[in-house]
Amino acid sequence: MDNKSGKAFDFLLFKRLVNYTKPYRVTFYGVAIAAILLSGFAVMTAIIVGNIVDEAITQKDSQKLLYMTMAMLAVLIGQVVSQLGFNYYANWLGESVIKDVRIDLFKRMLGFKMKYFDSSSIGVLVTRAVADMQRIGEIFSQGFFVIVADLLKMIVVAGVMLYQSWKLALIVFALLPIIAYATRLFQKAMKIAFTEVRAEVSNLNSFVQERITGMKIVQLFNREEIEKEKFREINEKHKDAWLKTVWYNSIFFPIAEIVSSIAIGLIVWYGGLLNIANVGPSEYGAIFAFILLSDMLFRPLRQIADKFNTLQMGMVAANRVFKILDTESQIEDSGTIEKAAILGAIDFKDVRFGYLEDEEVLHGISFNVKAGETVAIVGATGAGKSTIINLLNRFYEINSGEIAIDGVSIKDFKLSSLRSKIAVVLQDVFLFADTIANNISLKNTAITTAQIEAAAREIGVHEFIASLPEGYNYNVKERGTMLSSGQRQLIAFLRAYVSNPSILVLDEATSSVDTYSEQLIQKATDKITEGRTSIIIAHRLATIKKADKIIVMDAGKIVEIGTHKELLKKGGYYNNLYEAQFSIEEVA
């Protein structure tokens, strides 16, 4: 689907959207019926006005004037009721559809590979899930049904005009091609313009979100003026994109108004001539009716163009959202094994992997971890340590080789079962804007507050949490900004511990913390690694010394394997790394 083609309407895309209305068929048909009633009531009003002029006012019949006025009042009440039902339920249907589409979109994104998020802008994804969704809702609330209602009104009006006076009708119809042609050009231009608008909205959202998230860096490096200038440029493009739509509107609607005014003038002039010559409708009411009917014919056409803008913006938004829904970026979850518990033996066999197709990060690594064993992985930055953890959790798919747990390929496990057995504590701990208790349990109803508190006491972090205002109900705000890095690490340790994993991974979990927090983390580490398979990446000296095995990596390869003492005796890569990075800690 080429959203820049200027194609006025994509029926396949619209058909896909309409499928989301199937659970709400009653409402869908109800809104359609209301649209039909609206067209009927509108025409009846014009007919009654014409009859009032001819049969009541001209004949000076006050009784008939009263009856016809009451009839017109009844029609107007019916029109108001129909309009109310139409407006409310069309909007209700639109909101219901975007609720379902948004759920599908979020569910889809939850299953994407990490590679997708590595190359996608968060700001753009947020725009798709929020702003674009509202545009999709407007397809039903302000676009499709309004257009259908207006088209029905135009058809009925045209029929009534032909019935009353085909000569006056032809005058009005002769001007319709001008409006129709202008509308067609307008629609095509607006389709392209709105595509540009949505692109600029995404760019603006992405830029603002990134700068707000990284505001500390912006201020630390005095980038305020530079970022302000970049924002001005992006904002200028955003303004220009919107002004393009305003320009098209400024051209089209005056043209439509001029043509409509010409039509009314011709009706009065030609209708008057026909009456004077007694060769046309002999009642003056017909001319009054035609003036009202011509407005009902031209106004919907102008509104259709306006509503088509809304429809096109919604279609552009739908196209963007469905592109995400159609993205094939899921980890294949075809495994059938779902174990209640695993021992935790891990085997990497000649594993090769690269984040980019032509850039291999791991070059055929092989190692094994026995169940219950604690293994440390060390190496310089970029050696591939964290990549191993990403692959173990199947965040990415390996290029070749095999990774097995308890002798079973991780591809044979159900993905949810595999990840439920592995807990990871990262260096950069992510906390949600919620209570400490909810950040620990992640709102898993199987984990109670009592269990959280008991676990906290076991690993020695209860006192720290209890000292906070409201204790376990303390809200840490967005990304846990109300806590220090060490405190966030302790929360992450507790989160891993209460999940009772068979395999525990600590990835840089004690870096950049104060001495007191490090002592608490060390105590927590000893407790949570007890009796379970543990992989520790680039930890502090004390943890590495206690590891049953140390795997030394360099440039995506394993260069040494052994215990702390064995590796020091070799005097190789680990010994050099130890002297460079850890000798100061040992002296201290």
Side-chain angles (χ1 to χ4, degrees), residues 119-302:
S119 58
S120 300
S121 165
I122 294 176
V124 169
L125 294 178
V126 170
T127 300
R128 300 292 174 267
V130 182
D132 282 345
M133 286 297 175
Q134 289 306 126
R135 294 296 184 187
I136 292 174
E138 289 171 0
I139 289 177
F140 297 97
S141 62
Q142 300 178 34
F144 172 70
F145 284 115
V146 176
I147 291 173
V148 169
D150 286 342
L151 285 173
L152 284 172
K153 186 185 293 183
M154 290 173 64
I155 292 171
V156 174
V157 165
V160 172
M161 281 182 163
L162 286 170
Y163 176 77
Q164 288 199 335
S165 173
W166 66 269
K167 292 181 179 179
L168 289 178
L170 288 180
I171 289 178
V172 177
F173 294 165
L175 297 173
L176 283 179
I178 299 174
I179 294 281
Y181 181 70
T183 301
R184 178 67 173 171
L185 294 178
F186 180 64
Q187 290 166 355
K188 286 188 174 183
M190 291 300 283
K191 176 67 179 291
I192 298 173
F194 282 138
T195 299
E196 186 177 339
V197 165
R198 298 315 304 161
E200 294 303 330
V201 167
S202 294
N203 291 339
L204 187 63
N205 286 347
S206 180
F207 182 88
V208 171
Q209 182 163 344
E210 285 185 355
R211 269 55 185 185
I212 290 176
T213 303
M215 188 58 70
K216 184 180 292 185
I217 299 299
V218 171
Q219 294 181 356
L220 278 173
F221 289 90
N222 296 315
R223 297 273 301 180
E224 290 92 340
E225 290 301 320
I226 296 174
E227 297 301 332
K228 189 190 299 181
E229 182 61 25
K230 285 184 179 179
F231 179 78
R232 189 196 64 77
E233 292 175 4
I234 293 174
N235 202 31
E236 187 73 21
K237 291 180 180 179
H238 179 264
K239 181 202 73 174
D240 291 342
W242 274 109
L243 284 179
K244 190 177 290 185
T245 68
V246 173
W247 170 246
Y248 292 146
N249 278 288
S250 300
I251 295 174
F252 173 76
F253 286 103
I255 291 174
E257 287 292 339
I258 290 171
V259 174
S260 178
S261 299
I262 291 172
I264 292 174
L266 289 174
I267 289 170
V268 173
W269 172 73
Y270 192 65
L273 288 178
L274 291 176
N275 271 277
I276 292 171
N278 289 322
V279 295
S282 59
E283 301 87 1
Y284 293 107
I287 296 177
F288 277 91
F290 256 80
I291 291 173
L292 293 175
L293 289 170
S294 67
D295 185 63
M296 292 180 190
L297 189 66
F298 284 104
R299 187 175 297 278
L301 193 57
R302 296 196 301 271

Side-chain angles (χ1 to χ4, degrees), residues 425 429 440 459-461 464-465 484-496 509 513 516-525:
V425 179
V429 177
I440 293 169
I459 67 173
V461 299
F464 140 64
I465 297 175
S484 69
S485 59
Q487 290 171 330
R488 291 196 295 270
Q489 286 287 2
L490 291 170
I491 298 300
F493 269 78
L494 186 52
R495 179 161 62 192
V513 298
Y516 176 71
S517 295
E518 184 182 355
Q519 292 173 353
L520 290 177
I521 289 173
Q522 189 57 59
K523 180 180 178 181
T525 301

Side-chain angles (χ1 to χ4, degrees), residues 19 21 92 117 141 192 272 275 280 304 370 375 491 558 578:
N19 286 334
T21 67
W92 184 91
F117 297 104
S141 62
I192 298 173
N275 271 277
I304 285 173
K370 297 177 181 177
V375 172
I491 298 300
I558 296 176
Y578 173 79

